[in-house]
Amino acid sequence: MSGDERALGGFSRDAGRNAHEADAPTLLPVPSLLRSLLSDHLDPGYAAAAEKSGGRPRRRGVEWAWQLTAGLAVAAVLATAAAQARAVAPATRETQHVLADGVRTAQESTNAVAAQRSSLAARVEDERRTRLEGDEEGRVLLDRLDDAEFAAAATPVHGPGLTVTATEPGTSLDLSDVSKQRIPGGRQAILDRDLQLVVNSLWASGAEAIAVGGIRIGPNVTIRQAGGGILVDNQPISSPYEVDAIGPPNAMQDVFDRSPGLQRLRLLEASYGVGVNVSAADDLTVEPGAVRDLGFAKPVGQ
């Protein structure tokens, strides 16, 4: 095979030519584009550039100089950013301290006002009882007020009952296991609707007063989800979630053991590793809840 044939990938320049037969094709049957691909291994643009430069190789020194310049520029940018970060770090920490102090001050003020309110409410209650207990009509009115305050969860209650504790599972070793996530992208297994179902099941079991995380459940109290946390009466609570229910322990537990609330917790226990504990207590104390004024109301059915 000649050099031209090798350049054509094995095709001869005379392939397909026939001078012995009349009207036989005399042109090469290989298309010109295919022949060009087989014969011209260098792009014309590269060939022209090589001819223009006289075939001289690119200078390594110029390439290294450009690479060194680019590296120095990147290093300068990073150094400037680091210097700026160090310069603003003290101001950032100072701002954080100021905000934290403001939060603590506001919390202390809120606690002081709440304590003052509780003290004034106790004085009002004592004064009211002193004035109403003097006659029969006053005592009847006082009994009606006591019933209304108890229904509004405005009075402290203590006595035997049940404590239901639900604890979030520990962090999984495989954080990429999305099958263990009730909320996409989150690790929280116990949600607001689970605690709502537990509270409703305890009411149905005969509870007289209930508190979730130490917060009394009353007519105007809600349990709701807020991002990755749970709010009870707009106050955040965290795991372990304790639900205290005052009432006859044995009778309550017999009903609660078959309730949808405990079944939901058992399902979470089996599926997500949630800790569940139900125990009876001889003496539980449930603090009074916040009482809000109603703008309007009417009896049901009217």
Side-chain angles (χ1 to χ4, degrees), residues 125-152:
E125 177 67 19
D126 293 339
E127 186 68 20
R128 183 175 61 185
R129 288 189 175 277
T130 301
R131 292 178 179 274
L132 292 178
E133 288 177 349
D135 54 44
E136 183 66 25
E137 185 178 358
R139 286 191 291 271
V140 172
L141 181 58
L142 191 59
D143 291 338
R144 293 176 58 186
L145 287 174
D146 289 341
D147 293 339
E149 288 182 346
F150 181 80

mmCIF file of all heavy atoms in Angstrom, residues 125-152:
data_model
loop_
_atom_site.group_PDB
_atom_site.id
_atom_site.type_symbol
_atom_site.label_atom_id
_atom_site.label_comp_id
_atom_site.label_asym_id
_atom_site.label_seq_id
_atom_site.Cartn_x
_atom_site.Cartn_y
_atom_site.Cartn_z
ATOM 1 N N GLU A 125 -58.854 38.245 93.672
ATOM 2 C CA GLU A 125 -59.600 37.035 94.044
ATOM 3 C C GLU A 125 -59.903 37.018 95.543
ATOM 4 O O GLU A 125 -61.026 36.683 95.953
ATOM 5 C CB GLU A 125 -58.778 35.798 93.641
ATOM 6 C CG GLU A 125 -59.389 34.470 94.028
ATOM 7 C CD GLU A 125 -60.672 34.179 93.279
ATOM 8 O OE1 GLU A 125 -60.918 34.804 92.221
ATOM 9 O OE2 GLU A 125 -61.443 33.306 93.758
ATOM 10 N N ASP A 126 -58.922 37.370 96.361
ATOM 11 C CA ASP A 126 -59.154 37.399 97.814
ATOM 12 C C ASP A 126 -60.217 38.431 98.176
ATOM 13 O O ASP A 126 -61.104 38.175 99.009
ATOM 14 C CB ASP A 126 -57.846 37.697 98.547
ATOM 15 C CG ASP A 126 -56.835 36.576 98.400
ATOM 16 O OD1 ASP A 126 -57.257 35.441 98.086
ATOM 17 O OD2 ASP A 126 -55.622 36.835 98.580
ATOM 18 N N GLU A 127 -60.147 39.601 97.568
ATOM 19 C CA GLU A 127 -61.124 40.649 97.851
ATOM 20 C C GLU A 127 -62.527 40.230 97.413
ATOM 21 O O GLU A 127 -63.517 40.475 98.117
ATOM 22 C CB GLU A 127 -60.706 41.938 97.143
ATOM 23 C CG GLU A 127 -61.568 43.143 97.467
ATOM 24 C CD GLU A 127 -61.422 43.602 98.906
ATOM 25 O OE1 GLU A 127 -60.404 43.258 99.538
ATOM 26 O OE2 GLU A 127 -62.331 44.307 99.400
ATOM 27 N N ARG A 128 -62.610 39.589 96.299
ATOM 28 C CA ARG A 128 -63.916 39.156 95.812
ATOM 29 C C ARG A 128 -64.533 38.104 96.723
ATOM 30 O O ARG A 128 -65.720 38.144 97.039
ATOM 31 C CB ARG A 128 -63.773 38.605 94.383
ATOM 32 C CG ARG A 128 -65.082 38.188 93.738
ATOM 33 C CD ARG A 128 -64.867 37.767 92.302
ATOM 34 N NE ARG A 128 -63.967 36.638 92.187
ATOM 35 C CZ ARG A 128 -63.536 36.129 91.024
ATOM 36 N NH1 ARG A 128 -63.920 36.708 89.898
ATOM 37 N NH2 ARG A 128 -62.727 35.103 91.011
ATOM 38 N N ARG A 129 -63.738 37.163 97.139
ATOM 39 C CA ARG A 129 -64.263 36.124 98.020
ATOM 40 C C ARG A 129 -64.685 36.715 99.375
ATOM 41 O O ARG A 129 -65.700 36.305 99.956
ATOM 42 C CB ARG A 129 -63.216 35.030 98.215
ATOM 43 C CG ARG A 129 -63.025 34.170 96.981
ATOM 44 C CD ARG A 129 -62.154 32.963 97.237
ATOM 45 N NE ARG A 129 -62.096 32.118 96.054
ATOM 46 C CZ ARG A 129 -63.025 31.222 95.736
ATOM 47 N NH1 ARG A 129 -64.080 31.047 96.532
ATOM 48 N NH2 ARG A 129 -62.909 30.494 94.652
ATOM 49 N N THR A 130 -63.892 37.640 99.871
ATOM 50 C CA THR A 130 -64.244 38.258 101.152
ATOM 51 C C THR A 130 -65.603 38.965 101.069
ATOM 52 O O THR A 130 -66.431 38.880 101.988
ATOM 53 C CB THR A 130 -63.154 39.247 101.562
ATOM 54 O OG1 THR A 130 -61.908 38.550 101.678
ATOM 55 C CG2 THR A 130 -63.491 39.899 102.896
ATOM 56 N N ARG A 131 -65.859 39.631 99.965
ATOM 57 C CA ARG A 131 -67.115 40.380 99.827
ATOM 58 C C ARG A 131 -68.305 39.472 99.508
ATOM 59 O O ARG A 131 -69.432 39.753 99.950
ATOM 60 C CB ARG A 131 -66.962 41.436 98.733
ATOM 61 C CG ARG A 131 -65.984 42.554 99.098
ATOM 62 C CD ARG A 131 -65.835 43.542 97.956
ATOM 63 N NE ARG A 131 -64.922 44.619 98.303
ATOM 64 C CZ ARG A 131 -65.265 45.728 98.945
ATOM 65 N NH1 ARG A 131 -66.515 45.917 99.344
ATOM 66 N NH2 ARG A 131 -64.362 46.659 99.217
ATOM 67 N N LEU A 132 -68.086 38.380 98.748
ATOM 68 C CA LEU A 132 -69.212 37.546 98.332
ATOM 69 C C LEU A 132 -69.589 36.478 99.349
ATOM 70 O O LEU A 132 -70.708 35.947 99.310
ATOM 71 C CB LEU A 132 -68.899 36.881 96.988
ATOM 72 C CG LEU A 132 -68.802 37.811 95.775
ATOM 73 C CD1 LEU A 132 -68.435 37.021 94.533
ATOM 74 C CD2 LEU A 132 -70.108 38.562 95.568
ATOM 75 N N GLU A 133 -68.677 36.110 100.222
ATOM 76 C CA GLU A 133 -68.984 35.049 101.175
ATOM 77 C C GLU A 133 -69.837 35.524 102.362
ATOM 78 O O GLU A 133 -70.201 34.742 103.235
ATOM 79 C CB GLU A 133 -67.680 34.436 101.704
ATOM 80 C CG GLU A 133 -66.959 33.572 100.672
ATOM 81 C CD GLU A 133 -65.634 33.044 101.194
ATOM 82 O OE1 GLU A 133 -65.204 33.548 102.275
ATOM 83 O OE2 GLU A 133 -65.043 32.162 100.559
ATOM 84 N N GLY A 134 -70.192 36.790 102.366
ATOM 85 C CA GLY A 134 -70.937 37.327 103.508
ATOM 86 C C GLY A 134 -72.404 36.985 103.514
ATOM 87 O O GLY A 134 -73.039 36.980 104.572
ATOM 88 N N ASP A 135 -73.002 36.663 102.360
ATOM 89 C CA ASP A 135 -74.430 36.341 102.338
ATOM 90 C C ASP A 135 -74.681 35.170 101.396
ATOM 91 O O ASP A 135 -73.811 34.741 100.646
ATOM 92 C CB ASP A 135 -75.264 37.561 101.923
ATOM 93 C CG ASP A 135 -74.792 38.148 100.602
ATOM 94 O OD1 ASP A 135 -74.528 37.380 99.651
ATOM 95 O OD2 ASP A 135 -74.672 39.376 100.520
ATOM 96 N N GLU A 136 -75.922 34.659 101.431
ATOM 97 C CA GLU A 136 -76.281 33.479 100.658
ATOM 98 C C GLU A 136 -76.206 33.754 99.162
ATOM 99 O O GLU A 136 -75.696 32.924 98.386
ATOM 100 C CB GLU A 136 -77.691 33.016 101.051
ATOM 101 C CG GLU A 136 -78.137 31.733 100.354
ATOM 102 C CD GLU A 136 -77.289 30.536 100.779
ATOM 103 O OE1 GLU A 136 -76.719 30.563 101.892
ATOM 104 O OE2 GLU A 136 -77.200 29.577 99.998
ATOM 105 N N GLU A 137 -76.747 34.863 98.741
ATOM 106 C CA GLU A 137 -76.710 35.190 97.309
ATOM 107 C C GLU A 137 -75.281 35.335 96.800
ATOM 108 O O GLU A 137 -74.950 34.890 95.691
ATOM 109 C CB GLU A 137 -77.487 36.486 97.067
ATOM 110 C CG GLU A 137 -77.612 36.854 95.599
ATOM 111 C CD GLU A 137 -78.422 38.122 95.396
ATOM 112 O OE1 GLU A 137 -78.911 38.687 96.403
ATOM 113 O OE2 GLU A 137 -78.552 38.551 94.227
ATOM 114 N N GLY A 138 -74.416 35.904 97.607
ATOM 115 C CA GLY A 138 -73.023 36.041 97.220
ATOM 116 C C GLY A 138 -72.323 34.701 97.091
ATOM 117 O O GLY A 138 -71.513 34.490 96.189
ATOM 118 N N ARG A 139 -72.666 33.772 98.011
ATOM 119 C CA ARG A 139 -72.041 32.450 97.924
ATOM 120 C C ARG A 139 -72.508 31.703 96.675
ATOM 121 O O ARG A 139 -71.717 30.993 96.041
ATOM 122 C CB ARG A 139 -72.353 31.650 99.180
ATOM 123 C CG ARG A 139 -71.577 32.118 100.416
ATOM 124 C CD ARG A 139 -71.705 31.143 101.566
ATOM 125 N NE ARG A 139 -73.076 31.137 102.092
ATOM 126 C CZ ARG A 139 -73.502 31.947 103.058
ATOM 127 N NH1 ARG A 139 -72.670 32.838 103.596
ATOM 128 N NH2 ARG A 139 -74.741 31.888 103.499
ATOM 129 N N VAL A 140 -73.770 31.837 96.300
ATOM 130 C CA VAL A 140 -74.261 31.204 95.065
ATOM 131 C C VAL A 140 -73.538 31.783 93.859
ATOM 132 O O VAL A 140 -73.103 31.066 92.941
ATOM 133 C CB VAL A 140 -75.789 31.384 94.939
ATOM 134 C CG1 VAL A 140 -76.269 30.899 93.576
ATOM 135 C CG2 VAL A 140 -76.505 30.636 96.053
ATOM 136 N N LEU A 141 -73.400 33.104 93.833
ATOM 137 C CA LEU A 141 -72.682 33.759 92.734
ATOM 138 C C LEU A 141 -71.228 33.335 92.701
ATOM 139 O O LEU A 141 -70.646 33.125 91.616
ATOM 140 C CB LEU A 141 -72.797 35.271 92.891
ATOM 141 C CG LEU A 141 -72.118 36.110 91.796
ATOM 142 C CD1 LEU A 141 -72.674 35.775 90.419
ATOM 143 C CD2 LEU A 141 -72.264 37.598 92.098
ATOM 144 N N LEU A 142 -70.624 33.161 93.871
ATOM 145 C CA LEU A 142 -69.225 32.740 93.935
ATOM 146 C C LEU A 142 -69.056 31.331 93.387
ATOM 147 O O LEU A 142 -68.065 31.038 92.684
ATOM 148 C CB LEU A 142 -68.730 32.825 95.376
ATOM 149 C CG LEU A 142 -67.220 32.661 95.589
ATOM 150 C CD1 LEU A 142 -66.456 33.724 94.820
ATOM 151 C CD2 LEU A 142 -66.892 32.714 97.068
ATOM 152 N N ASP A 143 -70.011 30.440 93.703
ATOM 153 C CA ASP A 143 -69.946 29.079 93.152
ATOM 154 C C ASP A 143 -70.044 29.099 91.630
ATOM 155 O O ASP A 143 -69.335 28.341 90.940
ATOM 156 C CB ASP A 143 -71.060 28.223 93.745
ATOM 157 C CG ASP A 143 -70.855 27.934 95.225
ATOM 158 O OD1 ASP A 143 -69.685 28.033 95.670
ATOM 159 O OD2 ASP A 143 -71.841 27.623 95.921
ATOM 160 N N ARG A 144 -70.901 29.934 91.084
ATOM 161 C CA ARG A 144 -71.031 30.033 89.631
ATOM 162 C C ARG A 144 -69.748 30.588 89.007
ATOM 163 O O ARG A 144 -69.315 30.131 87.937
ATOM 164 C CB ARG A 144 -72.224 30.918 89.283
ATOM 165 C CG ARG A 144 -73.577 30.318 89.672
ATOM 166 C CD ARG A 144 -74.706 31.280 89.390
ATOM 167 N NE ARG A 144 -74.735 31.654 87.962
ATOM 168 C CZ ARG A 144 -75.564 32.578 87.473
ATOM 169 N NH1 ARG A 144 -76.390 33.232 88.289
ATOM 170 N NH2 ARG A 144 -75.546 32.842 86.186
ATOM 171 N N LEU A 145 -69.149 31.558 89.669
ATOM 172 C CA LEU A 145 -67.879 32.093 89.169
ATOM 173 C C LEU A 145 -66.773 31.039 89.202
ATOM 174 O O LEU A 145 -65.950 30.959 88.287
ATOM 175 C CB LEU A 145 -67.474 33.314 89.988
ATOM 176 C CG LEU A 145 -68.262 34.607 89.751
ATOM 177 C CD1 LEU A 145 -67.834 35.684 90.741
ATOM 178 C CD2 LEU A 145 -68.070 35.097 88.320
ATOM 179 N N ASP A 146 -66.745 30.235 90.258
ATOM 180 C CA ASP A 146 -65.742 29.173 90.354
ATOM 181 C C ASP A 146 -65.908 28.164 89.223
ATOM 182 O O ASP A 146 -64.908 27.718 88.613
ATOM 183 C CB ASP A 146 -65.846 28.466 91.705
ATOM 184 C CG ASP A 146 -65.360 29.342 92.848
ATOM 185 O OD1 ASP A 146 -64.623 30.318 92.571
ATOM 186 O OD2 ASP A 146 -65.727 29.069 94.010
ATOM 187 N N ASP A 147 -67.150 27.794 88.931
ATOM 188 C CA ASP A 147 -67.388 26.848 87.830
ATOM 189 C C ASP A 147 -66.952 27.453 86.493
ATOM 190 O O ASP A 147 -66.342 26.765 85.653
ATOM 191 C CB ASP A 147 -68.878 26.465 87.783
ATOM 192 C CG ASP A 147 -69.312 25.662 89.002
ATOM 193 O OD1 ASP A 147 -68.427 25.065 89.654
ATOM 194 O OD2 ASP A 147 -70.526 25.632 89.294
ATOM 195 N N ALA A 148 -67.256 28.739 86.295
ATOM 196 C CA ALA A 148 -66.874 29.378 85.042
ATOM 197 C C ALA A 148 -65.355 29.488 84.916
ATOM 198 O O ALA A 148 -64.782 29.252 83.839
ATOM 199 C CB ALA A 148 -67.515 30.762 84.940
ATOM 200 N N GLU A 149 -64.667 29.817 85.994
ATOM 201 C CA GLU A 149 -63.213 29.931 85.952
ATOM 202 C C GLU A 149 -62.552 28.566 85.729
ATOM 203 O O GLU A 149 -61.545 28.463 85.027
ATOM 204 C CB GLU A 149 -62.702 30.557 87.247
ATOM 205 C CG GLU A 149 -63.005 32.042 87.363
ATOM 206 C CD GLU A 149 -62.431 32.633 88.630
ATOM 207 O OE1 GLU A 149 -62.049 31.840 89.530
ATOM 208 O OE2 GLU A 149 -62.347 33.867 88.744
ATOM 209 N N PHE A 150 -63.141 27.527 86.318
ATOM 210 C CA PHE A 150 -62.578 26.193 86.107
ATOM 211 C C PHE A 150 -62.747 25.782 84.642
ATOM 212 O O PHE A 150 -61.839 25.206 84.033
ATOM 213 C CB PHE A 150 -63.262 25.187 87.030
ATOM 214 C CG PHE A 150 -62.726 23.789 86.881
ATOM 215 C CD1 PHE A 150 -61.545 23.421 87.492
ATOM 216 C CD2 PHE A 150 -63.402 22.844 86.122
ATOM 217 C CE1 PHE A 150 -61.029 22.133 87.355
ATOM 218 C CE2 PHE A 150 -62.899 21.554 85.987
ATOM 219 C CZ PHE A 150 -61.715 21.204 86.605
ATOM 220 N N ALA A 151 -63.917 26.074 84.071
ATOM 221 C CA ALA A 151 -64.131 25.741 82.660
ATOM 222 C C ALA A 151 -63.208 26.540 81.752
ATOM 223 O O ALA A 151 -62.804 26.061 80.680
ATOM 224 C CB ALA A 151 -65.588 26.002 82.282
ATOM 225 N N ALA A 152 -62.848 27.749 82.168
ATOM 226 C CA ALA A 152 -61.941 28.590 81.377
ATOM 227 C C ALA A 152 -60.475 28.300 81.662
ATOM 228 O O ALA A 152 -59.596 28.987 81.119
ATOM 229 C CB ALA A 152 -62.234 30.058 81.646
#
